[in-house]
Amino acid sequence: GCFSIVLECIPSPVAAAITTALRIPTIGIGAGSTCSGQVLVYHDLLGMMQHPHHAKVTPKFCKQYGQIGSAINKALIEYREEVESRSFPSNAHSPYQIGDTALFLKDLEKHGFHAAAKAMAVEMHAYQMPPNQLEDVETTELAPNLQNHST
C-alpha cells in the first residue's frame, strides 16, 4: 500500500480535491496550503545556492527564509585558501600522534622510504613534537635541522 503521496507543482484546488479524496497524507511542494503537510528543498529554503544558473531554476513556489548562501560561499573560499596556503590544518587541528615515532622512522629508512622518513621528521619538527619521540633516530640523514633536537 501507499502511506503518503507527494503532490508537486499542481494547482492548489486540485491538491485540495486529492487531499480530501485520499485517506493517506498528502505532502505538497508547490501545490498550495491544503495538503496535509509541506516540504521544500532546504537549499532553496535557506538561499544556499548562489550560482546565477540556480537563480534561473529556483522554483516559483519556493519562499526563501534566509540568505545563508553568501556566508557558506565565504567560508568555503576561506577554507580553500587556508588549505592551499597550508595554514590548515594547523597543529591544533591535527591532534593524532603515533606511539613510537622513532621506531616508525627507522622502519621507513629500513624499507627504503628515505623521502617519506625525511618528510615525517620535518613535520615532527614543524609540529614541535616532544624530543623523546625523536630519540635514537639518525636525523642527520632525515632532516639536518633536527640534528640536535633530541639532545
Side-chain angles (χ1 to χ4, degrees), residues 1 4 7 10 20 30 36 40 48 61 64 66 72 79 83 98 130 137:
S4 68
L7 304 178
I10 63 171
T20 302
S36 307
L40 284 177
M48 291 174 63
F61 57 78
Q64 285 189 355
I72 290 170
Y79 168 71
V83 167
I98 185 171
V137 178

Side-chain angles (χ1 to χ4, degrees), residues 10-53:
I10 63 171
S12 183
V14 175
I18 294 170
T19 300
T20 302
L22 297 177
R23 295 188 321 199
I24 59 172
T26 59
I27 308 299
I29 180 166
S33 63
T34 60
C35 294
S36 307
Q38 297 293 324
V39 67
L40 284 177
V41 175
Y42 75 92
H43 294 81
D44 297 332
L45 172 99
L46 298 174
M48 291 174 63
M49 306 302 276
Q50 296 298 305
H51 191 276
H53 170 73

Side-chain angles (χ1 to χ4, degrees), residues 99-119:
D100 192 346
T101 25
L103 180 62
F104 187 64
L105 281 168
K106 283 181 180 181
D107 281 346
L108 286 172
E109 282 290 328
K110 177 181 167 184
H111 295 289
F113 294 103
H114 306 293
K118 181 176 181 176

Side-chain angles (χ1 to χ4, degrees), residues 66-121:
Q67 284 293 100
I68 63 171
S70 58
I72 290 170
N73 198 33
K74 181 180 179 261
L76 290 173
I77 289 169
E78 185 178 347
Y79 168 71
R80 182 188 69 216
E81 289 171 353
E82 287 188 12
V83 167
E84 288 174 349
S85 71
R86 296 194 182 268
S87 61
F88 178 83
S90 67
N91 194 13
H93 297 100
S94 300
Y96 309 103
Q97 295 189 12
I98 185 171
D100 192 346
T101 25
L103 180 62
F104 187 64
L105 281 168
K106 283 181 180 181
D107 281 346
L108 286 172
E109 282 290 328
K110 177 181 167 184
H111 295 289
F113 294 103
H114 306 293
K118 181 176 181 176
M120 182 179 173

